[in-house]
Amino acid sequence: MENPPKKTTDSGLEIKSVYNATDRPNTQAEQPGEFPYTRGIQPDMYRGKLWTMRQYAGFSTAEASNERYHYLLKQGVSGLSVAFDLPTQIGYDSDHALADGEVGKVGVAIDSIEDMRRLFQGIPLESVSTSMTINATGFILLSLYAAVAKEQGADIKKLNGTIQNDILKEYAARGTYIYPPRPSMRIITDIFEWCSREMPKWNTISISGYHIREAGSTAAQEIAFTLSNGKAYVQAALEKGLDINVFGKRLSFFFNAHNNLFEEVAKFRAARRIWSNLMRDLGATDPKACMLRFHTQTGGSTLTAQQPLNNISRVTVQTLAAVLGGTQSLHTNGYDEALGLPTEEAARIALRTQQIVAFESGVADTADPLAGSYFIESLTDEMEQKAREWMKQIDDLGGSVSAIEQEYMQREIARSAYAYQRKVESKEQIVVGQNAYTSDESLQTPILKIDDSIRQLQTERLTNLKAQRDAAIATKCLEAIRQKAVSGENLMPAVLDAVENNCTLGEISDVLRSVFGEHK
């Protein structure tokens, strides 16, 4: 009899055909809500509170995005998730030459406090949780958000939400950075310090493995590189004299969910275990500072332009992986996102997928329902070991910042991406509808398109804003930012003052470019 073909996970971990008690003889009597939180951070998990259901949205103008947010809130989302266009992400106003062709395309264009007012018109910010996917300019968007909330009469100490604010993964995987790594880290610790005092309920960073995975990493690399980046942020905050038991509670993570259901569940369980031990080793004594809390988004890179309705099935599997793995928050992709921004129909189906899993599948009825599975427990241990091996290599290079400066992470992600693509092309990895089970049928999928006239509208608004504001005050505010950048003082109070006095995102970014330079 021939031996059956070898099976491995996406991370190269070998899968046996059968697992039994001998594969994990030392099973611990660990409970959900107990250190090291392998089984989840809450004793009853979703019995007490379901994960926050978000739908990532942002496109065109602030008015258009605001309309989508009101639609999603009526459909049952429990938190907003904002996408910003590329100029906003890299610190250019819509009228900048480099913004041409990109304004409002992959997210909403936000140039000033006027745009932020329009974005959240009719949405009381004190009563909604808002996640903003923004990194290099995260401190400016946070200031704009706080300024608009204050205008609404909100107490900013009660604001609840997250800025992604993870610049290290931008150098490693995504590319929307502005300043070199070390001044960027300084800005992040300024945010930690300011929020611990002014916005204590705000999650000051969402340390992101999502984009590392989208760039082609394996599941094990995703958590290893992400947790190593998290360690770098914690060490930078400690060097600034911040209390790990205070800022540690406001750290959150952002992971990807791909199609290999059991590997993904094991990945999330292993990540919690590694992080809790890492934080304790760094000096955390408050249990909440040791808990890895994370948002999940289903895998954009797994979606196919061919037979796009198949993506509904993929997103369902990935939703199950996130929920069975214990996520605190979830965004599900629209089936049409390999073709363009999601239409309302696609966004509604994606949200309904979460709701069906929550209320019809039964997987939320008990905490960590896969616990005790010989396969899951063994795979969790192996995933932890593999991730720790990657993390040791990063530590040996001097930590994440040094590893990124030496382009170690970038090279390893590229190698994994190449290896995966070779498997797809050789059909060792089947992608239904793309390299197998293909169809010649033509299915017309509606695509959401963004009008190029958005840039002209935003430019006119910027011109009017600058004509009507007090130019002397704006100049004084920008000079205050420059002085604090040079002196090393916390930048956040000066940035908040600047946005309240109608300074633009591009102007603030340019002041800091003049001090910090740009990363090449």
Side-chain angles (χ1 to χ4, degrees):
M1 182 177 177
E2 292 185 7
N3 290 327
K6 180 180 176 182
K7 292 280 187 180
T8 63
T9 70
D10 294 343
S11 297
L13 302 175
E14 186 171 354
I15 302 173
K16 295 163 58 171
S17 55
V18 177
Y19 286 78
N20 54 48
T22 60
D23 292 296
R24 200 172 190 270
N26 299 317
T27 301
Q28 301 296 313
E30 184 185 326
Q31 294 298 313
E34 295 181 0
F35 187 92
Y37 309 108
T38 310
R39 299 194 59 195
I41 62 171
Q42 299 294 341
D44 57 357
M45 283 306 290
Y46 306 127
R47 285 282 285 269
K49 182 179 182 291
L50 284 174
W51 63 93
T52 301
M53 297 183 192
R54 300 186 187 274
Q55 285 306 115
Y56 187 47
F59 56 91
S60 184
T61 62
E63 291 94 334
S65 294
N66 176 264
E67 185 178 341
R68 177 66 67 88
Y69 297 152
H70 280 283
Y71 171 79
L72 290 170
L73 288 166
K74 288 177 182 175
Q75 297 301 314
V77 298
S78 45
L80 298 177
S81 187
V82 184
F84 298 95
D85 71 359
L86 285 175
T88 302
Q89 292 181 48
I90 56 177
Y92 293 123
D93 287 334
S94 297
D95 60 357
H96 194 284
L98 292 178
D100 190 16
E102 293 294 345
V103 177
K105 290 295 176 69
V106 299
V108 62
I110 299 294
D111 297 319
S112 71
I113 193 169
E114 288 186 348
D115 289 328
M116 195 62 106
R117 288 187 195 113
R118 297 181 187 108
L119 187 65
F120 292 107
Q121 181 69 36
I123 300 172
L125 297 184
E126 198 173 294
S127 61
V128 68
S129 169
T130 303
S131 171
M132 294 189 281
T133 303
I134 194 73
N135 300 285
T137 55
F139 65 108
I140 304 173
L141 272 297
L142 178 62
S143 298
L144 287 165
Y145 189 87
V148 169
K150 286 167 65 178
E151 288 181 350
Q152 291 184 354
D155 178 357
I156 66 169
K157 284 185 165 56
K158 296 180 181 178
L159 296 181
N160 181 20
T162 306
I163 44 172
Q164 190 168 107
N165 199 31
D166 175 6
I167 203 65
L168 292 178
K169 65 92 175 49
E170 296 296 330
Y171 304 113
R174 190 162 174 267
T176 61
Y177 45 72
I178 303 175
Y179 318 110
R182 295 182 193 277
S184 294
M185 292 290 283
R186 173 260 175 101
I187 293 172
I188 287 169
T189 56
D190 280 359
I191 295 169
F192 288 178
E193 182 180 51
W194 184 80
C195 283
S196 67
R197 182 174 65 252
E198 304 295 336
M199 292 176 64
K201 295 180 71 176
W202 193 266
N203 297 319
T204 50
I205 193 167
S206 178
I207 305 157
S208 177
Y210 182 85
H211 306 95
I212 290 170
R213 191 68 176 281
E214 289 293 284
S217 81
T218 66
Q221 287 173 328
E222 179 190 352
I223 58 171
F225 295 173
T226 306
L227 299 185
S228 291
N229 288 348
K231 181 180 179 180
Y233 293 126
V234 171
Q235 290 172 327
L238 290 172
E239 288 169 8
K240 195 164 184 170
L242 303 184
D243 186 346
I244 192 171
N245 286 319
V246 176
F247 74 79
K249 297 176 190 176
R250 303 269 48 105
L251 304 178
S252 66
F253 289 81
F254 174 25
F255 290 122
N256 211 313
H258 273 215
N259 292 329
N260 192 320
L261 176 66
F262 298 113
E263 180 178 41
E264 294 299 299
V265 173
K267 176 188 79 177
F268 297 132
R269 298 172 94 247
R272 275 193 296 270
R273 187 188 293 168
I274 295 169
W275 183 250
S276 63
N277 280 288
L278 187 155
M279 287 295 279
R280 189 167 66 175
D281 290 345
L282 288 171
T285 55
D286 189 314
K288 289 187 177 180
C290 296
M291 293 178 181
L292 184 147
R293 297 168 298 117
F294 66 97
H295 170 72
T296 308
Q297 182 174 340
T298 56
S301 63
T302 70
L303 304 180
T304 62
Q306 302 88 347
Q307 302 177 25
L309 291 175
N310 292 345
N311 294 326
I312 297 173
S313 298
R314 293 187 176 98
V315 169
T316 303
V317 171
Q318 294 162 11
T319 299
L320 285 167
V323 173
L324 290 168
T327 192
Q328 278 62 67
S329 171
L330 178 61
H331 162 77
T332 35
N333 289 329
Y335 68 83
D336 56 359
E337 289 192 54
L339 300 167
L341 293 171
T343 60
E344 276 195 1
E345 179 195 46
R348 183 175 64 252
I349 290 171
L351 176 60
R352 295 289 182 256
T353 301
Q354 293 199 52
Q355 291 165 338
I356 289 168
V357 168
F359 300 111
E360 297 185 28
S361 73
V363 298
D365 291 348
T366 188
D368 195 20
L370 294 183
S373 156
Y374 301 135
F375 179 37
I376 284 293
E377 297 295 355
S378 178
L379 195 55
T380 299
D381 291 347
E382 291 181 51
M383 185 64 72
E384 177 186 11
Q385 180 181 346
K386 190 78 170 177
R388 286 187 181 280
E389 289 170 5
W390 285 108
M391 293 175 75
K392 183 180 185 306
Q393 292 183 59
I394 292 168
D395 285 342
D396 289 345
L397 290 170
S400 277
V401 175
S402 179
I404 287 167
E405 289 174 338
Q406 297 174 57
E407 299 193 352
Y408 169 76
M409 288 189 196
Q410 297 92 312
R411 286 196 304 272
E412 295 305 321
I413 292 169
R415 285 195 183 103
S416 295
Y418 178 71
Y420 177 79
Q421 188 59 33
R422 288 287 300 270
K423 288 181 179 180
V424 171
E425 291 177 5
S426 68
K427 297 191 177 181
E428 182 182 348
Q429 174 68 53
I430 296 297
V431 181
V432 174
Q434 182 174 306
N435 67 357
Y437 311 107
T438 57
S439 171
D440 293 330
E441 294 179 19
S442 177
L443 180 65
Q444 295 300 316
T445 302
I447 299 175
L448 180 63
K449 293 185 183 268
I450 305 302
D451 196 317
D452 283 329
S453 66
I454 302 302
R455 183 171 187 247
Q456 181 180 347
L457 173 63
Q458 289 295 113
T459 298
E460 290 171 359
R461 287 174 167 175
L462 279 163
T463 300
N464 291 335
L465 173 79
K466 292 176 182 179
Q468 294 171 10
R469 72 186 180 183
D470 188 318
I473 291 178
T475 300
K476 182 179 178 182
C477 289
L478 293 171
E479 175 59 21
I481 292 172
R482 190 194 67 79
Q483 289 177 1
K484 289 185 184 297
V486 171
S487 70
E489 293 176 76
N490 194 302
L491 288 166
M492 287 299 295
V495 173
L496 180 59
D497 188 42
V499 299
E500 289 179 329
N501 284 286
N502 294 309
C503 294
T504 71
L505 174 136
E507 290 173 329
I508 295 168
S509 299
D510 283 346
V511 167
L512 295 179
R513 282 185 177 96
S514 72
V515 178
F516 298 145
E518 291 188 79
H519 181 69
K520 304 294 184 185

